[in-house]
Amino acid sequence: MKSYNINAFLDKKCLKNGENWKDGFLSGLKRSKCFVALVSKKALNIVRDETVDHSTDNVLLEYETALLIKRKSTNKNFICPILVGEYTLIPQLQQ
């Protein structure tokens, strides 16, 4: 991505030691021009589970924040969702 002059925010690389992680990743998200959300059916099933307490779910916090930013922004393409499919190995290849 750097060859295209794109600086991606990756928490493992961009969060500073000693910085509150939540403040750090929300700050990075607010400075972003685009939010790429990698989503799978399995992840969405967890989010839809009403028996689970989602109040401390970091992924949902990130998605909700991205939606708020998009609503306030003139950039209608701020969120780029990508549905990640599942794969299974062919039994003969699992050996």
Side-chain angles (χ1 to χ4, degrees):
M1 291 174 67
K2 286 192 179 221
S3 63
Y4 291 98
N5 203 24
I6 297 172
N7 297 314
F9 180 90
L10 300 172
D11 56 0
K12 289 183 180 182
K13 293 185 178 186
C14 296
L15 293 178
K16 298 172 186 154
N17 289 335
E19 178 182 28
N20 178 288
W21 63 268
K22 190 175 184 179
D23 293 340
F25 88 77
L26 290 176
S27 175
L29 181 58
K30 291 173 185 173
R31 290 190 314 269
S32 298
K33 293 179 183 176
C34 178
F35 173 70
V36 179
L38 301 175
V39 184
S40 70
K41 284 185 178 183
K42 191 173 184 178
L44 291 176
N45 287 338
I46 294 168
V47 172
R48 292 181 181 128
D49 186 346
E50 294 181 9
T51 65
V52 174
D53 176 15
H54 297 288
S55 62
T56 58
D57 189 324
N58 302 331
V59 174
L60 283 179
L61 174 61
E62 195 171 21
Y63 289 177
E64 288 172 349
T65 303
L67 287 168
L68 288 172
I69 292 169
K70 181 181 179 196
R71 284 187 198 127
K72 294 178 181 180
S73 173
T74 57
N75 178 5
K76 299 303 174 194
N77 297 316
F78 178 74
I79 298 176
C80 178
I82 298 175
L83 180 61
V84 179
E86 295 183 33
Y87 70 93
T88 56
L89 293 175
I90 300 170
Q92 297 89 339
L93 299 177
Q94 291 182 5
Q95 299 174 9

